[in-house]
Amino acid sequence: MPELPEVETLVRELRPQLVRRSLTTVRLHHRDVVRGVSATHLLRVLEGNRVRAVQRRAKHVVITLTSGDRLVIQLRMTGSLLVHGRALDAERRRHVVLEAAIGRGRWFVFRDVRRLGTLQLLDEQAWAAYTARIGPEPLDAGFDLNAFVQCMSGTRQAVKKALMDQRRLGGVGNIYANEALFRARIDPSRPADRIDRRAWRRLFREVRAVLREGISAGGTTVRDYRTSTGATGSYQHVLRVYGRPGEPCVRCRTALVTTHAIDGRATTFCWRCQGVDVR
DNA sequence: ACGAGGTCCTGCGAGC
DNA sequence: TGCTCGCAGGACCTCG
């Protein structure tokens, strides 16, 4: 579910609520989401630990604790994070994976309906190895066109698949990949090694633009995504192609098309604007 | 090195 | 109304 803008929105909201708070009572309701360490170990480390920092890396929420360990939360398709002060209703309680009391009667909660999300606990060294395997941050100040071309090129993979490959570039998922490719007028199925410099420049600009706009809008709510306060994002109202198959292209009015030919994920595009060979 | 396809899960809407 | 089927913001794996 959440891609870079959604995770950034969550992290910005959670940071002031969690930093300097101690995790007192910690409850884990589904042990199968814990990766790398035993659930028992995870609980032992979390219990009584204090939050030093709340950050985002690509689509991951990274909660650094005063012990030096990092709780890394991957939300995947349906994961959500919230802070609440009152009891959750039955429906909200239902898919709680982890909850931790953070003082003043407030709780930090990780919910995940499909439970594809994961929890990891990484020490300094493990974190260094982990983050090194993820591609650069597209919105970092030092990330320029050359860096973008370098991480994206050199493969025959479809450019959309390369864009969503977290080892190449961090944080871009299906929604923002579709939007950026449409805005850059690039055929999503085009092999990355057949994209020219001008097209890379357009894609670089549009990837960063859609991510920034997504953050400004508080993310995209297609179905499950909610911010930490339960609010919806608003970028779904701005989407030009994602979720709009059959509707007219905003540029040329041609009916948009959806295919699942690239990595089995829904790709929606305008064959005319994006120069897709439909034969 | 690449693509295809299965796997982990649950919920929802379409279609019969 | 009630069933089955396919699909869903992701990422990891194996196989050919």
Side-chain angles (χ1 to χ4, degrees):
Chain A
M1 163 220 5
E3 307 181 27
L4 188 155
E6 290 73 35
V7 177
E8 180 65 26
T9 300
L10 283 170
V11 161
R12 288 182 185 182
E13 288 183 356
L14 291 171
R15 188 175 293 136
Q17 306 243 41
L18 295 183
V19 170
R20 291 188 225 277
R21 311 305 314 172
S22 286
L23 309 177
T24 53
T25 309
V26 183
R27 297 186 193 127
L28 180 66
H29 300 277
H30 295 279
R31 303 191 147 225
D32 57 351
V33 305
V34 180
R35 299 295 143 85
V37 296
S38 71
T40 312
H41 177 72
L42 177 86
L43 285 169
R44 200 183 305 136
V45 171
L46 292 184
E47 194 85 39
N49 222 322
R50 186 186 292 260
V51 176
R52 183 192 289 164
V54 179
Q55 290 154 310
R56 178 188 60 75
R57 172 72 174 105
K59 303 175 192 173
H60 311 253
V61 176
V62 184
I63 299 177
T64 306
L65 305 164
T66 51
S67 65
D69 295 294
R70 283 170 171 82
L71 175 66
V72 178
I73 306 172
Q74 233 180 320
L75 298 165
R76 299 274 178 96
M77 301 286 250
T78 53
S80 62
L81 297 172
L82 56 138
V83 170
H84 71 93
R86 284 175 294 171
L88 295 174
D89 58 49
E91 181 51 32
R92 296 236 149 256
R93 277 229 63 78
R94 192 150 164 239
H95 300 106
V96 170
V97 168
L98 180 85
E99 54 187 341
I102 54 171
R104 300 172 183 164
R106 301 185 72 75
W107 291 78
F108 170 56
V109 175
F110 171 34
R111 284 183 77 232
D112 190 356
V113 172
R114 286 173 68 182
R115 236 180 306 126
L116 297 175
T118 60
L119 290 173
Q120 277 169 282
L121 190 70
L122 304 175
D123 62 23
E124 200 70 49
Q125 199 178 352
W127 167 250
Y130 189 84
T131 190
R133 285 193 296 270
I134 306 170
E137 286 291 329
L139 295 182
D140 265 6
F143 188 69
D144 59 11
L145 175 61
N146 285 334
F148 180 63
V149 173
Q150 190 177 3
C151 68
M152 288 290 295
S153 57
T155 177
R156 279 176 292 177
Q157 281 180 342
V159 60
K160 178 172 180 250
K161 187 171 164 146
L163 197 55
M164 291 172 62
D165 183 343
Q166 300 301 297
R167 293 165 300 188
R168 294 182 175 279
L169 185 67
V172 178
N174 202 29
I175 293 179
Y176 295 94
N178 275 296
E179 295 300 308
L181 287 160
F182 169 76
R183 287 167 54 151
R185 281 173 283 120
I186 293 171
D187 174 357
S189 67
R190 193 171 182 88
D193 65 0
R194 291 187 48 231
I195 305 270
D196 65 27
R197 182 84 179 176
R198 291 179 58 205
W200 281 130
R201 188 190 309 278
R202 294 198 303 274
L203 187 56
F204 172 69
R205 189 183 305 133
E206 298 302 337
V207 164
R208 303 205 338 151
V210 294
L211 294 175
R212 284 206 198 93
E213 290 168 20
I215 293 170
S216 297
T220 304
T221 297
V222 175
R223 43 174 47 164
D224 313 279
Y225 168 71
R226 295 292 183 280
T227 72
S228 71
T229 60
T232 59
S234 64
Y235 201 63
Q236 63 278 12
H237 304 302
V238 187
L239 297 176
R240 302 185 191 180
V241 287
Y242 181 85
R244 301 187 60 234
E247 292 182 41
C249 168
V250 296
R251 283 186 76 240
C252 76
R253 315 311 290 170
T254 299
L256 300 175
V257 176
T258 290
T259 159
H260 287 83
I262 304 167
D263 209 26
R265 310 292 305 278
T267 301
T268 306
F269 58 92
C270 172
W271 61 266
R272 182 179 285 171
C273 292
Q274 294 173 259
V276 179
D277 187 347
V278 287
R279 279 172 302 174

